[in-house]
């Protein structure tokens, strides 16, 4: 770590600056249950490679991690299945919205990457085929990554998303029509909506992502979860595809691998240096946290700690 930097002071200073500015954007009101979140929540949790840790603002409040969960399902599937997953999902940025259907017809049901909804749904299908109790085993996997026991699905958010899930239902059925979904679409979607509904706070999330920050990481049972090469690849996909059609912008402004979710969370990683989670529920028009992007841009600019 760059020892000249006082992380606590820098994080607090940026936090207060961003908080004093207008909180623009909209909460993800397309999922009725998410629309109930207080838009002024703003939390940060930082952890260095030396486990120097700081929490600021609402870092202890749990929120819906939504698409951030797609990194975790991909990691689990990559560990269990290996490179065979790339036969059914690509690794190219889509340049399209997270819930877009447009490329799938031309691409014959092979989603461009695992972080758009179509790709994440295919990864859920892999997990359902491989696991006896997918929901229980996935939650257990996350608990072992984070070392936190108090992590759960939100039944009300999963139900709420089911009730308006027309696009995801269409995506899953469309992909199945090309033969790229093995299981019953209802079962796949139920797993997908539950995975997105997982609730964690900024600290839980930062701890969960230690496996991408620290190459010596072992989970709470003492196991390595991914090889060095697999960690490299997942960070690379976060870098190129973690923010849907704003991935280039995030790379340009922040310069870190990261992943966002429509609950307003963003996790960003500097491999072998630090991991940081920012949560603020108002989203820009691409579905990424407005304040989260601002905060991280200021942080890597001020500290000069981006990977570029
Ligand atoms: N559950 C959300 C959806 O499918 C996830 C989207 C996101 O976080 N970008 O619409």
């Amino acid at each position: 770590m760059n020892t000249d930097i006082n992380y606590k002071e820098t994080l607090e200073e940026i936090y207060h600056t961003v908080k004093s500015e207008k909180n623009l954007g909209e909460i993800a009101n397309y999922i009725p249950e998410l629309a109930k979140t207080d838009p002024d929540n703003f939390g940060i949790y930082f952890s260095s490679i030396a486990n120097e840790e700081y929490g600021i603002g609402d870092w202890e409040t749990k929120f819906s991690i939504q698409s951030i969960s797609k990194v975790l399902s991909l990691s689990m599937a990559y560990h269990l299945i290996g490179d065979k997953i790339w036969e059914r999902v690509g690794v190219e940025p889509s340049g399209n919205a997270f819930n877009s259907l447009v490329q799938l017809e031309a691409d014959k049901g092979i989603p461009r990457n695992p972080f758009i909804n179509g790709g994440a749904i295919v990864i859920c299908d892999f997990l359902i085929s491989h696991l006896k109790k997918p929901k229980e085993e996935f939650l257990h996997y996350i608990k072992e990554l984070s070392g936190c026991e108090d992590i759960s699905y939100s039944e009300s958010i999963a139900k709420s998303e089911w009730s308006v899930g027309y696009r995801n239902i269409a995506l899953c059925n469309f992909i199945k029509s090309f033969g790229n979904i093995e299981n019953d679409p209802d079962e796949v979607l139920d797993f997908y909506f539950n995975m997105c509904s997982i609730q964690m706070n900024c600290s839980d999330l930062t701890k969960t992502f230690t496996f991408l920050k620290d190459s010596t990481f072992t989970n709470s049972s003492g196991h390595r979860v991914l090889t060095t090469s697999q960690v490299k690849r997942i960070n690379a996909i976060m870098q190129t595809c973690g923010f849907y059609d704003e991935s280039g912008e995030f790379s340009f402004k922040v310069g870190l691998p990261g992943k966002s979710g429509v609950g307003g969370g963003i996790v960003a990683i500097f491999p072998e240096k630090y991991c940081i989670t920012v949560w603020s529920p108002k989203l820009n028009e691409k579905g990424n946290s407005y304040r989260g992007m601002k905060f991280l841009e200021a942080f890597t600019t001020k500290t000069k700690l981006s990977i570029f």
Side-chain angles (χ1 to χ4, degrees), residues 125-181:
D125 186 56
F126 268 120
L127 289 176
I128 290 171
S129 297
H130 268 77
L131 302 172
K132 285 200 180 73
K133 293 183 172 175
K135 277 200 250 177
E136 285 91 328
E137 290 175 56
F138 182 57
L139 200 59
H140 179 71
Y141 173 76
I142 297 176
K143 289 180 180 176
E144 284 203 321
L145 281 182
S146 62
C148 310
E149 269 306 305
D150 183 25
I151 294 173
S152 56
Y153 296 107
S154 161
E155 214 176 293
S156 59
I157 292 176
K159 219 166 130 194
S160 180
E161 204 176 343
W162 252 124
S163 74
V164 292
Y166 308 111
R167 269 189 170 262
N168 288 320
I169 295 165
L171 276 166
C172 189
N173 282 286
F174 196 43
I175 298 169
K176 186 156 177 91
S177 77
F178 289 98
N180 197 15
I181 293 286

Side-chain angles (χ1 to χ4, degrees), residues 31-200:
I31 301 175
E33 202 60 24
L34 282 188
K36 296 179 183 165
T37 318
D38 176 354
D40 291 324
N41 276 301
F42 189 21
I44 321 281
Y45 202 88
F46 171 93
S47 173
S48 76
I49 191 74
N51 294 323
E52 201 183 331
E53 302 192 1
Y54 303 106
I56 304 172
D58 301 308
W59 65 272
E60 286 166 296
T61 309
K62 284 184 186 290
F63 61 94
S64 183
I65 69 167
Q66 292 293 317
S67 282
I68 298 172
S69 64
K70 292 172 182 170
V71 182
L72 307 173
S73 52
L74 173 66
S75 307
M76 190 179 192
Y78 203 8
H79 170 71
L80 292 172
I81 299 146
D83 286 318
K84 271 197 111 41
I85 58 176
W86 309 123
E87 290 169 14
R88 291 175 51 196
V89 60
V91 293
E92 289 299 334
S94 72
N96 271 302
F98 59 82
N99 55 7
S100 173
L101 284 122
V102 293
Q103 290 161 334
L104 275 171
E105 175 91 43
D107 293 348
K108 300 192 171 53
I110 308 285
R112 290 273 166 113
N113 70 68
F115 295 158
I116 49 173
N117 289 11
I121 288 170
V122 170
I123 296 293
C124 287
D125 186 56
F126 268 120
L127 289 176
I128 290 171
S129 297
H130 268 77
L131 302 172
K132 285 200 180 73
K133 293 183 172 175
K135 277 200 250 177
E136 285 91 328
E137 290 175 56
F138 182 57
L139 200 59
H140 179 71
Y141 173 76
I142 297 176
K143 289 180 180 176
E144 284 203 321
L145 281 182
S146 62
C148 310
E149 269 306 305
D150 183 25
I151 294 173
S152 56
Y153 296 107
S154 161
E155 214 176 293
S156 59
I157 292 176
K159 219 166 130 194
S160 180
E161 204 176 343
W162 252 124
S163 74
V164 292
Y166 308 111
R167 269 189 170 262
N168 288 320
I169 295 165
L171 276 166
C172 189
N173 282 286
F174 196 43
I175 298 169
K176 186 156 177 91
S177 77
F178 289 98
N180 197 15
I181 293 286
E182 291 173 349
N183 298 283
D184 172 29
D186 275 0
E187 199 186 341
V188 178
L189 286 159
D190 191 60
F191 183 70
Y192 173 79
F193 291 138
N194 272 281
M195 161 183 115
C196 291
S197 83
I198 288 175
Q199 295 187 298
M200 291 195 213

